[in-house]
Every structure is written in C-alpha cells, then in structure tokens.
Amino acid sequence: MKDICKLPSLRQGEPLDVTPDIRGCARPRKSRMFVAMLAAIGASVVGCPAAMAQTSPAITSPAPPVGVVGNGYMHLFQASSLPEPVFVVTAGSLPPGISLTPQGFLTGAPSSAGAFGPTTVCGVDDPAPPACQTFTITVGKRSPAILAAPSTGGVVGTPVRETASLVGALLPTGTVMFRLFSDQACTVEVVRSTNVVSASGSATSTDYTPTAAGTYRWTTSYSGDANNAATSTPCDPNNAVAITAASSGTTGTPTTTVASRSGLYHALPPARVLDTRATAPVGPGGTLTQLVTGVGGVPATGVSAVVLNVAVTGPTAPSFLTIYPDGTATPATSSLNFPANQTVSNLVIAKVGADGKVAIYNGAGSVHVIVDVSGWFGSDSATSGGGSYNALQSARVLDTRYAAPVSAGSTITPTVTGVGGVPATGVAAVALNVTVTTPTAASYLTVYPHGEAMPLASSLNFTANQTVSNLVIAKVGADGKVAIYNAFGSTDVVLDVVGWFGANGAATGGGSYNALQPARVLDTRSTAPLSPGGTITPTVTGFAGVPASGVSAVALNVTVTAPTSWGFLTVYPNGAARPQAANVSFVAGQTVGDTVLAKVGADGKVAVYNAAGSAHVIIDVVGWYSA
C-alpha cells in the first residue's frame, strides 16, 4: 500500500514546519494549499487521519435525579467517545453527603435539603476534549409520619394525654401541636398544647382532665424543620379516648383486659387472603378489617392467632401498619414500618378478634396491602392436632455467600431438619430468619414446603443492593426441606433457624402459644439510643400479659429508628453466647422492623446487640410460648 504518511515533494527553498500528529504521521503546517491537498489525498486512502470522522465527546446519561435527605443516593455518569474517562467536578459543588468517584458514580446520602448547583462534572480522557454536563441537584425534605398514642381513657376526672413519635424523620427538631376535641368531627376544641420534639423524635402533650363524659379525639401537627417536612394526623377514631361518668364511690381508671388463649401450631402452605391492588389502597389514618378464619386453610373456629406475611407496595409516604384483633382498641404499636415508594414485608403473628378478623391500621399516606397466611394457632377450645414450639439458640443453616447466589427464577432446597438443633423427624415447621444480601435487582423470595406446588405468595421483598431480613415460619416438606424461590436478579440468601414446631399431635415437649393484644415493652427514645457494639437486656416476662415464669420464648416486633449508620440487631437469650445472626438489618436514617421469636434467658430477659452506629430500639410483645 502507498505510504500515506510520506510527504509530497516540495520546491527547493520552500520552508516546512513539521510536527507529529496523534497517529505519529508528520503534518506540514506551512501552506494552506498544501494542507488542502494533503486532506484531499487522505480522503481517498483508507487509514489516513484526515479521513476519520471525529465525534465530539459528550455525557450521554440524564441529569442526576432528585434526592431525599438521609436516603441513599446513586447516579452514574456515562460519556461517549471517551474510552477511559476520569470524572471530576470542575465547577460548583455537590450536596453535602454526596461524593463523585473517578468512575462516575455519585454516591452517599445527602445530609441537607435544598437546591445545589449549578455544578459541572466532566469526563476527562486526554488528549481528547472533555465531556461535561452542568446540572442542579434538588434534595427534598423527608416526609415523616406521626405514630400517635393516646393514653387510656377512664372516668371523669382521669387525666388524659397523647404522645406523638415521628416515623421516618432524620434528627428532627421543631414542635408538635396537640389538640383535643370533645366531638367526633373535631370542631369543638377543649385544649391545645405545643411541645418541643425530643432528640429521639417524640413529644407528649400537656395533661388535660375532662370534666364531662364523652368520646374525645386528638389531632397532632408537626411543624417540620430544615430537613423534615411538616405533617399531621387526621381527625380519626384511632386517636379517640373514652371518658365515662364516675359511679358512686368509684375512682381510678378502668382497664380492659383481652384474655389470651393458648394453642398449638398448625402449619400451612402460604396462601393469599388479601390484596388491595384488586380494590383500593388503604388511605391515611384508614383501617380495614380482614377475615382470617375460614380462608386459606385456616378453620372457621377454634383459632387464637394466625401467622401472616404482610407486605405493602406503592406507599405514597413513610408510614406504618398496626395489626391487632378486630373489635379492640388500636394499640400504640407498629407491625410494619416502611418508607415511601418501596415494597416491604414482615411476618406478623396476629391475635384474632372474636369475629375471626384482624384490623389493619395505616398511619399516613395511602398504600396497598397484601396478606398471605402460613399457619394458625388453636385456641384452648381446639380439640385436636397442632404442634408445640421448641425455641432454639439461633443457628446458621445456610449461607450462599460461600457457594453461589440464587439466580433469577431459580429455586434452592436446603435441608432444615437434623441441623441447628432441629431434630431429623417429627417436625412440622421451622422458624427461620431469612436474610438477602447483595441482590442485583428488586425481587422477592417465596419459601414453601419442598415437594409441594409453589404458592402465589411472597415471604421477603427487597430492592437492588439491599440487605434485609424477615422471619418466616415455614412448613417443612416430607423430605425435611424447604424450597426458596427467587423471582428476579440474583441474590445471596442466609438462613438462621430459631426454633421448630412439632408435627401435628406429636408430644415434642415444647410449649403452646398464648396470643396477646400487642403491647410496648421497650422504647429507648425516652432514654438513650443503643450505642455501636452495645447490648441492652430488657425484661420481657412479668408484664404486658406475659407471666413472670413458665415462659420459653416471646414473640416480639423489634423496630429500629434513627440509626446513624448501616448495621443490624441480634436478639438472643440473656446469659447465652451471642450467635452469628442478624434479626433486623438497616441503613442510616431508616425505620425498619422485624418479628423475632426470641428464646428467653433464665432471668426472664433477652439481649439485644447493635452492630454499628447508634440506634433507637422499640420492642412490642405480641405473644409468648409456655415452657
């Protein structure tokens, strides 16, 4: 081939300034006519630099999205025509808490709300010109919800108050205004007080002593601050307090006790009993009642409690669900906490109302609710069947991080009998803490008995790159295995066994379950958060309906709020060695809860260990198992 870099002959005496180009060819810089001639020649010869079309480098990714204070943030810059660009901020600044990696990732969690920009980011790959993009990142305030807890009513002369706790707020400041009304429409105000939000995100109204009988209703309004939006509670029957006329010679506050009923466990393949996506979401402050007896394999009578996997999807605001026996007062507890626009699930052991229903209350925003039933506990009137519960020290029985992740649409079938303290035979179901980590896509797991058809149900919902756990009471297949199906992406799965249920009618030596009206037994927001590496040892026997003795384990809903970093909680019997297990996993600023079947120490206490950062811990008890 002709040497395209050889220069044509020049007339004697014609000066020539020759410099190398980027291909290593010499290029004359003297005569415009000569340059034009060379370009014309090069255009007809394959491989000449003059013939190669040049595309200006550009950032092809869209502008960075809107962020939310305290929420994880990620965005990737991509540049065309640059083989190995290095990305740098060349003008302006990023929101505090957000950083740019040389590979083009914006990562972190913004710590302040506002509009930050204009900012210019360029991809640099010398000697090509840089590819740049100028943008402004808007960081919105968090949208907290208010968990309002009115005090118990009583006779005329009994002081009443309300406590408001902010769910989903990040280091809130500001005030909460409490208003008490003497009518159902919240038009006749009888008292108002405004209190400062504590460092833990709660505030309590000033006491008021009603002078007349009736049903009063509270409303609460949070002022908001630089990083948290204002919010309020509606005029709602769940924030009502009943005041009755005092009988002659009667003083004090009457209490209503919801009797517990003991029973053995009947395991079922998961079955869907509610999906509001087919009807309408639950609105803010709304309550729906769902029949859970006579459906999904649960008998119509003789049932004290049901095991439900409750999932929310499409929530429009951070909120919580409270699940309790229909026909009773809404307790100041939460069963499931969730942020906006995320699908979250939690196992709930729910006491059943006298009508066979449970009530589901939603704190804020609107949300769709999906409920799957996986078993039931017989009442003391049940005549046959069921298995007792045998609590164990938590033990790891599967960790795919040492093998291979579970791929999309695939199923693994681990053996769960004969391991971790579970006997090889006589087992109807196992209590498993199921954790996913490093998932590559939003997905869900379905856990069901091996050898049976996969049900339309989910046991654990998660998003990409999330570490999250959920308690699953799983019926065991005839071969001692459970099946675990992963819908999308790939993910690692970790299983910790915390107990097992005997086969129906088998004398296993375990305990029967006693369902309770949910009650709060610990809230560190009124004291101090749990420090990194710290352990607290709350007593869980002797109050809230749990007897002082004869208790092998308790069913707890454990919630973390306002954590300062990622981490996890481990709940285990006080006095025992801490196991290698995680019961509640979380990230900074997140409010998240999980059900824990906790074996009780000899002193009636459980130990709660916090791996990293500081976090407030809230514990609600929903039932107990006899020894």
Side-chain angles (χ1 to χ4, degrees):
M1 179 182 285
K2 178 180 178 180
D3 185 356
I4 65 172
C5 293
K6 183 176 180 180
L7 300 176
S9 300
L10 302 177
R11 291 192 299 271
Q12 184 176 6
E14 184 176 12
L16 176 65
D17 179 10
V18 179
T19 58
D21 69 4
I22 62 173
R23 298 287 297 263
C25 299
R27 177 179 297 165
R29 301 179 61 190
K30 168 66 174 75
S31 165
R32 275 191 251 173
M33 181 180 293
F34 177 76
V35 172
M37 176 186 69
L38 185 60
I41 295 172
S44 64
V45 183
V46 175
C48 181
M52 298 183 65
Q54 299 296 317
T55 301
S56 299
I59 290 181
T60 57
S61 51
V66 172
V68 176
V69 172
N71 283 6
Y73 189 92
M74 180 170 287
H75 176 73
L76 175 62
F77 291 104
Q78 294 179 307
S80 63
S81 303
L82 296 179
E84 297 181 355
V86 174
F87 290 88
V88 293
V89 176
T90 59
S93 60
L94 298 171
I98 299 295
S99 61
L100 174 66
T101 70
Q103 295 77 25
F105 284 96
L106 284 179
T107 61
S111 57
S112 297
F116 300 88
T119 300
T120 301
V121 166
C122 294
V124 180
D125 190 8
D126 291 334
C132 298
Q133 184 181 63
T134 300
F135 53 85
T136 295
I137 295 179
T138 300
V139 178
K141 294 183 179 183
R142 297 182 72 84
S143 299
I146 296 177
L147 174 58
S151 63
T152 304
V155 298
V156 171
T158 301
V160 296
R161 70 188 65 87
E162 176 157 88
T163 298
S165 300
L166 295 173
V167 177
L170 180 64
L171 303 176
T173 58
T175 60
V176 174
M177 181 174 65
F178 299 89
R179 303 172 69 191
L180 182 63
F181 299 87
S182 62
D183 65 316
Q184 302 300 295
C186 296
T187 59
V188 182
E189 183 178 324
V190 294
V191 69
R192 177 186 302 194
S193 62
T194 301
N195 288 9
V196 175
V197 173
S198 69
S200 62
S202 63
T204 301
S205 69
T206 302
D207 282 4
Y208 172 74
T209 303
T211 58
T215 299
Y216 295 75
R217 287 190 180 184
W218 288 99
T219 64
T220 56
S221 300
Y222 170 56
S223 65
D225 59 20
N227 292 324
N228 299 284
T231 186
S232 61
T233 62
C235 180
D236 188 272
N238 290 293
N239 284 333
V241 57
I243 300 297
T244 59
S247 301
S248 177
T250 300
T251 59
T253 302
T255 59
T256 301
T257 302
V258 178
S260 66
R261 293 178 288 177
S262 64
L264 302 179
Y265 184 64
H266 302 251
L268 297 171
R272 185 142 296 171
V273 296
L274 173 69
D275 190 340
T276 66
R277 292 175 296 183
T279 53
V282 186
T287 300
L288 64 82
T289 58
Q290 174 61 36
L291 184 68
V292 290
T293 59
V295 295
V298 180
T301 59
V303 178
S304 64
V306 287
V307 175
L308 306 173
N309 193 75
V310 181
V312 295
T313 191
T316 60
S319 185
F320 61 91
L321 297 185
T322 299
I323 301 175
Y324 58 100
D326 185 37
T328 66
T330 307
T333 60
S334 61
S335 305
L336 174 61
N337 299 81
F338 48 90
N341 303 314
Q342 189 168 328
T343 300
V344 179
S345 58
N346 192 25
L347 181 136
V348 178
I349 302 177
K351 184 177 175 63
V352 178
D355 56 359
K357 296 180 178 181
V358 295
I360 304 173
Y361 169 78
N362 173 42
S366 62
V367 64
H368 282 293
V369 179
I370 304 163
V371 178
D372 302 319
V373 63
S374 61
W376 58 280
F377 292 93
S379 69
D380 50 12
S381 61
T383 58
S384 64
S388 57
Y389 181 65
N390 297 262
L392 297 172
Q393 174 79 326
S394 178
R396 186 144 295 171
V397 296
L398 174 72
D399 191 337
T400 67
R401 292 175 296 182
Y402 298 101
V406 186
S407 57
S410 64
T411 302
I412 58 173
T413 57
T415 298
V416 291
T417 59
V419 294
V422 181
T425 59
V427 178
V430 287
L432 300 171
N433 198 70
V434 182
T435 302
V436 296
T437 188
T438 64
T440 61
S443 183
Y444 62 89
L445 299 185
T446 299
V447 183
Y448 60 100
H450 183 231
E452 300 187 19
M454 185 177 71
L456 174 65
S458 63
S459 305
L460 175 61
N461 300 77
F462 49 91
T463 59
N465 302 312
Q466 185 181 26
T467 296
V468 65
S469 56
N470 194 20
L471 181 71
V472 177
I473 298 180
K475 184 180 179 182
V476 177
D479 56 0
K481 296 181 178 181
V482 295
I484 303 175
Y485 168 79
N486 173 43
F488 307 107
S490 65
T491 184
D492 279 306
V493 178
V494 182
L495 296 184
D496 299 312
V497 63
V498 299
W500 59 279
F501 294 88
N504 285 352
T508 63
S512 58
Y513 182 68
N514 298 263
L516 298 173
Q517 177 83 335
R520 185 142 295 171
V521 296
L522 175 72
D523 190 341
T524 66
R525 292 175 297 181
S526 62
T527 54
L530 184 55
S531 59
T535 301
I536 54 175
T537 57
T539 299
V540 291
T541 60
F543 60 96
V546 182
S549 60
V551 178
S552 64
V554 285
L556 305 172
N557 194 73
V558 181
T559 301
V560 172
T561 191
T564 60
S565 75
W566 75 270
F568 61 87
L569 297 185
T570 300
V571 184
Y572 58 101
N574 189 40
R578 176 165 55 87
Q580 182 189 8
N583 295 104
V584 185
S585 302
F586 49 86
V587 297
Q590 184 181 29
T591 297
V592 62
D594 199 359
T595 295
V596 178
L597 294 185
K599 187 176 181 179
V600 178
D603 56 0
K605 296 181 178 182
V606 295
V608 183
Y609 167 79
N610 176 36
S614 64
H616 282 293
V617 179
I618 304 164
I619 297 179
D620 302 319
V621 63
V622 298
W624 59 278
Y625 292 90
S626 59

